[in-house]
Amino acid sequence: MAAASTALPFAPLAEAKLDLLARLVDGLDASALNWLSGYAAGLCAQAPAGAPRALVQRESVPQQRLSIVYGSQTGNAKRLATQLARDAERAGLAVRLLRADAYPQRELKSERLLIVVVSTQGDGDPPDDARGLVEFICGKRAPTLNELKYAVLGLGDSSYPKFCAVGQILDSRLAELSATRLIARADADLDVESVATPWLERALAAVREVLKANVPALATVTPLRPYAASASGTREKPCVAEVLLNQRISARISSKDIRHLEFALEGSGLAYEPGDALGVWPRNPPALVAALLDTLNLDGERAVSHNGETYPLATWLAEKRELTRLPRPFVAQHAAQARSAELNRLLAPDNAAALAQLLTSHQPIDLLRAYPAEWGAEELVAALRPLVPRLYSIASSQKVVGAEAHLTVAHIAYDAFGTPHWGAASHHLAAIEEGGRVPIFVEANERFRLPADGSRDVIMIGPGTGVAPFRGFLQERAATGAGGRNWLLFGNPHFSSDFLYQLEWQEALRNGTLHRLDLAFSRDQAEKVYVQQRLLAAGREILAWIDGGAHVYVCGDAARMAKDVHAALREVLASHGGKSPEDAEEYLNRLLADGRYARDTY
């Protein structure tokens, strides 16, 4: 896998101008080069939009350079880090932007300005691309950093007990290593922008203050202008795509309602690679909106203004606010509204497990019903978390399906506390008719890519809807004529009702596109069997494929499946490869760092 870029790309000059510029700057020392870089970038910041950059950025000395490092699982950390790097560059700073696994750890000891944007996944784990850097910083080899000034922005989900744990660990550890905070750490919830946007502004201001003495151009740089409106097809400005097909692919007798959806991309300009995700902006279930209004005795037609936007309350609840996920801040605010001693006890630090159970089992409507309190319309809109898009692994290859994107979606619908409950996006998608339209965008997933060398074998482990990206992988491998072998391990409760894309896999076996298919239908026998058991049973062959250069991919549940599969792979390496558990773990970490072991988990 190609390493992340170490600097933002500058538009190239014409060959003659570039040669002249190179001869002009060859005699300058490092300090002069960096001053010139900052000055030129400052001029660019004042140039009209689209004006060409006038200087190819050179590597700067650490004292005059800002390093921005991100660790991202779903793309938010990368997006924010890239935004910060662009703002810093426009402000005339020498800046480099790196994914965490591309950061040269040996350079940490000489770093002077560092901003880390990192997410937390699962049970307080770092994203895969940040594991190595987190272990290095937290380990015994980490250097003393008394000349480093740093800031950490953590991203997470407050419905999990270890909210933003990785950001907190890095922030504390860097301070232990004698580094100095530029500004205090911030922890951003799923409504990322509400915390991240002001924090990024403060961080950039702090960096500029530190660098003013070394980069004279900073004193005269024009204040930052807002970016021009983003192109269509982004998270901020999604495309509206037509639904071409909405088909249930689990049997009617199945306890799971799994949907195959196909979206038209014609004219959208959207493109994707196998492994990428499709972002979907959902709407909350109308029945849930009505129930919440009824529970609080509020008028859905009442106009409510918040942060410069005005909509009817029902519109806020249907399109702008999270109603199916319960975050800790809302529990805290409702505890105050309800004057509930019981909720306040749950919020105490020593009741973290009980609070985690509440956040997992309850939606906001359940909390409002269980602990009655009065809410005003404006208070409610301000307290509820903004609705965020859902990301789904794309289940197709554009080389095969053309201007379409396919998804495999599990419809979340269940009863709790005597009433129906739904997932916001999955219920919206399950209910939408063919011909309906949905706001979408593509979220690139650079760490979940097929090997560039098509002769490499691939092992794909995807139980349930985790099989989605591997449908796209197999389509891509067939379309490109990749010579490597393909091995799929799939699991679900029942063969007869839950064998997703059964006919496609069987046809792929017949035509030689799929070389091996191992199945684990957990409920079809007395003893439950999962994909990790299939891995262990085929351990010798798994090891032979890995030793032969195969890439291993895992997609699906992060909380249990991915950890169980990781443990099974470690056991395979120990049992059949003669490695100690520690060496097996180190080997898997090397595969992760090299891009030969990739996980798309949620």
Side-chain angles (χ1 to χ4, degrees):
M1 179 179 293
S5 172
T6 57
L8 292 175
F10 284 70
L13 296 173
E15 184 175 347
K17 291 182 179 179
L18 186 57
D19 179 66
L20 175 63
L21 184 61
R23 284 187 275 119
L24 174 66
V25 302
D26 270 346
L28 300 179
D29 61 17
S31 177
L33 279 171
N34 279 283
W35 181 89
L36 183 58
S37 174
Y39 179 72
L43 290 177
C44 287
Q46 302 176 56
R53 304 293 171 102
L55 184 64
V56 176
Q57 189 177 42
R58 294 198 172 204
E59 185 66 22
S60 56
V61 294
Q63 290 88 340
Q64 298 174 338
R65 177 192 67 207
L66 169 64
S67 291
I68 303 171
V69 177
Y70 66 87
S72 188
Q73 196 70 23
T74 62
N76 277 332
K78 177 186 177 182
R79 177 171 55 84
L80 294 171
T82 302
Q83 174 188 325
L84 176 61
R86 287 174 177 161
D87 283 347
E89 180 209 15
R90 292 172 62 216
L93 306 187
V95 58
R96 64 173 180 171
L97 173 68
L98 303 106
R99 198 171 63 204
D101 58 357
Y103 181 81
Q105 297 173 4
R106 65 185 181 280
E107 294 185 10
L108 183 61
K109 62 181 181 297
S110 58
E111 200 74 75
R112 297 296 178 266
L113 280 169
L114 175 67
I115 293 179
V116 178
V117 184
V118 64
S119 64
T120 297
Q121 62 165 339
D123 189 25
D125 298 321
D128 285 343
D129 59 10
R131 286 177 179 274
L133 184 59
V134 171
E135 288 174 3
F136 174 72
I137 291 174
C138 294
K140 295 179 180 178
R141 291 194 174 96
T144 300
L145 302 171
N146 50 21
E147 294 188 76
L148 174 67
K149 292 181 173 62
Y150 76 96
V152 175
L153 174 62
L155 310 182
D157 181 346
S158 63
S159 63
Y160 287 89
K162 295 184 180 179
F163 173 56
C164 289
V166 177
Q168 294 164 16
I169 289 168
L170 286 178
D171 181 58
S172 298
R173 178 58 174 162
L174 290 169
E176 288 176 6
L177 295 171
S178 300
T180 303
R181 291 183 181 90
L182 281 164
I183 62 171
R185 185 197 76 250
D187 297 332
D189 209 337
L190 291 182
D191 53 328
V192 177
E193 271 70 21
S194 64
V195 171
T197 298
W199 188 91
L200 293 174
E201 292 174 356
R202 293 196 304 272
L204 181 56
V207 169
R208 292 181 66 181
E209 196 64 33
V210 169
L211 288 178
K212 267 185 181 179
N214 292 329
V215 187
L218 285 177
T220 58
V221 169
T222 313
L224 295 180
R225 298 187 303 267
Y227 287 124
S230 59
S232 180
T234 63
R235 185 182 190 272
E236 295 75 20
K237 191 177 180 182
C239 292
V240 178
E242 181 184 354
V243 177
L244 300 174
L245 179 67
N246 183 353
Q247 181 179 44
R248 179 169 174 148
I249 57 173
S250 55
R252 292 293 171 186
I253 60 172
S254 174
S255 61
K256 298 183 177 184
D257 177 7
I258 310 298
R259 299 290 174 133
H260 173 81
L261 292 109
E262 299 181 359
F263 297 87
L265 302 185
E266 190 72 41
S268 69
L270 288 180
Y272 60 87
E273 294 291 330
D276 288 344
L278 198 70
V280 175
W281 281 97
R283 292 174 62 96
N284 284 309
L288 177 57
V289 173
L292 193 143
L293 290 170
D294 182 64
T295 298
L296 294 177
N297 195 27
L298 293 174
D299 179 7
E301 298 301 315
R302 176 177 174 174
V304 177
S305 298
H306 180 71
N307 286 347
E309 296 182 294
T310 302
Y311 303 101
L313 177 58
T315 301
W316 279 109
L317 298 179
E319 303 176 18
K320 306 291 182 180
R321 287 296 180 264
E322 284 285 358
L323 299 187
T324 61
R325 294 173 172 175
L326 179 63
R328 187 186 190 281
F330 186 77
V331 176
Q333 292 187 57
H334 188 65
Q337 293 285 118
R339 295 180 174 85
S340 170
E342 182 179 350
L343 286 179
N344 283 318
R345 280 195 299 272
L346 284 176
L347 291 162
D350 57 349
N351 280 326
L355 178 61
Q357 175 59 33
L358 176 78
L359 299 179
T360 301
S361 60
H362 286 59
Q363 292 184 349
I365 184 78
D366 303 317
L367 192 76
L368 296 172
R369 286 168 170 163
Y371 303 92
E374 290 188 6
W375 279 91
E378 289 78 8
E379 293 174 298
L380 182 67
V381 168
L384 287 168
R385 198 163 60 178
L387 188 63
V388 296
R390 293 350 186 217
L391 298 179
Y392 294 96
S393 300
I394 298 175
S396 55
S397 162
Q398 280 196 289
K399 289 183 176 64
V400 173
V401 303
E404 296 180 10
H406 300 177
L407 296 185
T408 311
V409 177
H411 179 202
I412 298 174
Y414 59 97
D415 288 334
F417 311 107
T419 60
H421 285 61
W422 305 277
S426 69
H427 187 66
H428 180 52
L429 291 174
I432 198 164
E433 296 183 355
E434 294 171 9
R437 300 171 71 80
V438 179
I440 64 169
F441 60 95
V442 169
E443 186 74 49
N445 188 352
E446 296 168 355
R447 285 189 58 83
F448 206 74
R449 291 277 188 259
L450 281 166
D453 180 358
S455 67
R456 292 291 187 100
D457 298 333
V458 297
I459 300 170
M460 302 167 286
I461 305 164
T465 56
V467 80
F470 304 136
R471 181 175 184 264
F473 275 24
L474 210 60
Q475 289 181 358
E476 182 85 0
R477 298 268 281 183
T480 58
R485 296 173 296 173
N486 305 306
W487 183 349
L488 174 65
L489 294 98
F490 171 75
N492 236 351
H494 298 288
F495 174 91
S496 60
S497 58
D498 304 310
F499 194 172
L500 308 182
Y501 302 113
Q502 176 183 356
L503 296 180
E504 292 188 27
W505 305 132
Q506 290 173 336
E507 175 59 26
L509 283 170
R510 279 193 294 269
N511 65 31
T513 304
L514 184 62
H515 299 82
R516 179 163 177 171
L517 176 63
D518 284 24
L519 301 170
F521 293 104
S522 58
R523 306 303 198 274
D524 280 351
Q525 59 284 311
E527 183 178 352
K528 294 178 183 177
V529 177
Y530 300 102
V531 288
Q532 55 267 29
Q533 276 86 44
R534 297 300 187 215
L535 273 174
L536 291 170
R540 193 172 300 278
E541 296 94 332
I542 290 284
L543 181 60
W545 279 48
I546 292 174
D547 284 346
H551 288 228
V552 181
Y553 300 90
V554 181
C555 183
D557 171 56
R560 289 174 296 180
M561 183 277 299
K563 291 182 178 180
D564 290 342
V565 165
H566 186 85
L569 289 170
R570 187 172 56 233
E571 176 62 26
V572 165
L573 292 170
S575 298
H576 301 283
K579 299 181 185 296
S580 68
E582 295 76 17
D583 288 344
E585 184 68 27
E586 184 179 349
Y587 185 81
L588 287 174
N589 286 336
R590 286 202 304 272
L591 291 181
L592 276 169
D594 293 341
R596 285 186 52 208
Y597 175 27
R599 298 184 290 193
D600 180 10
T601 56
Y602 40 85

